[in-house]
Amino acid sequence: MRRPNKAPPAASKDGPRINDDIRNAQIQLIDQTGENKGTVETMVAIRMAQEAGMDLVEISPNTSPPVCKIMDYGKYKYSAQKKAAEARKRQKIVEIKEIKLRPMIDDHDYDVKMRAMQRFFEEGDKVKITLRYRGREMAHQEIGTKLLDKIKSDVAELAKVEQDARFEGRQVVMVLAPR
């Protein structure tokens, strides 16, 4: 059954209020040159903005009276969009790459894992080393401990230990971060 009183909520605007959306009677006005004009009535300020061919934009709504500036709102919004896009482009998301090992790893396999780890550190990623014990390997945990110590010493100049080796059931986990 349709309910006529349940109208969808009014679309909320993102960004500052401009021109006729400013509901205060008086505002603190800054003109297009950046000069403070003091407290002015809103309608007078809107008229001044229209005469200059620009918009009245509310900069600081929480002050009393609110601070508004005469500016080209389209240009302002465009430059804000460009700044946000530039910030997104420059940020680096640090990923955690995982390398799984066994205590009885062979020399060549170890070298391959170390090259992969070195590449991850150069890309700025963290590396989670998982050393898994199977069956009777649990009886010789010192082999795994030696292997983890060897890894720490081999990557000492590239990375630092962020989380030291700790047991989680039948596996040992250690996290390294690039320097």
Side-chain angles (χ1 to χ4, degrees):
M1 183 170 150
R2 190 173 163 270
R3 294 182 183 167
N5 294 340
K6 286 285 187 180
S12 62
K13 282 187 156 183
D14 59 331
R17 293 188 291 191
I18 60 169
N19 298 333
D20 295 327
D21 293 338
I22 301 169
R23 296 281 175 224
N24 300 65
Q26 291 191 331
I27 57 163
Q28 181 79 22
L29 180 67
I30 300 170
D31 69 358
Q32 61 269 28
T33 60
E35 188 180 324
N36 191 345
K37 295 289 185 181
T39 305
V40 180
E41 287 189 30
T42 307
M43 298 313 292
V44 174
I46 291 172
R47 201 172 312 113
M48 287 173 68
Q50 287 173 345
E51 287 171 7
M54 296 188 176
D55 302 302
L56 184 68
V57 182
E58 191 175 44
I59 300 297
S60 179
N62 299 329
T63 58
S64 180
V67 179
C68 296
K69 185 174 181 179
I70 296 175
M71 66 169 76
D72 186 350
Y73 183 66
K75 243 185 218 180
Y76 168 76
K77 205 167 178 184
Y78 177 77
S79 65
Q81 237 177 7
K82 284 292 183 190
K83 280 182 190 172
E86 191 69 27
R88 276 195 307 273
K89 190 166 65 173
R90 290 184 195 272
Q91 76 182 6
K92 169 74 172 102
I93 298 162
V94 176
E95 293 180 34
I96 296 180
K97 306 282 189 171
E98 185 174 16
I99 291 195
K100 294 184 178 182
L101 301 168
R102 297 275 312 281
M104 299 303 291
I105 190 169
D106 197 37
D107 292 337
H108 178 70
D109 296 331
Y110 176 81
D111 293 340
V112 170
K113 300 278 187 183
M114 290 307 291
R115 279 198 300 274
M117 213 180 301
Q118 185 176 3
R119 191 179 72 242
F120 295 151
F121 290 136
E122 287 168 359
E123 291 170 3
D125 296 324
K126 294 181 182 180
V127 176
K128 175 181 174 184
I129 298 170
T130 305
L131 179 69
R132 179 167 285 143
Y133 292 103
R134 278 203 200 142
R136 284 183 277 193
E137 290 174 345
M138 285 296 286
H140 299 285
Q141 294 176 6
E142 70 278 356
I143 298 171
T145 308
K146 284 180 188 173
L147 179 63
L148 289 174
D149 290 339
K150 182 179 177 189
I151 291 171
K152 278 185 210 175
S153 64
D154 287 351
V155 297
E157 68 275 354
L158 294 173
K160 59 183 180 284
V161 178
E162 187 170 273
Q163 178 187 327
D164 212 17
R166 71 165 200 266
F167 260 92
E168 292 179 359
R170 295 185 76 83
Q171 61 187 22
V172 180
V173 176
M174 178 171 69
V175 179
L176 302 171
R179 285 200 184 272

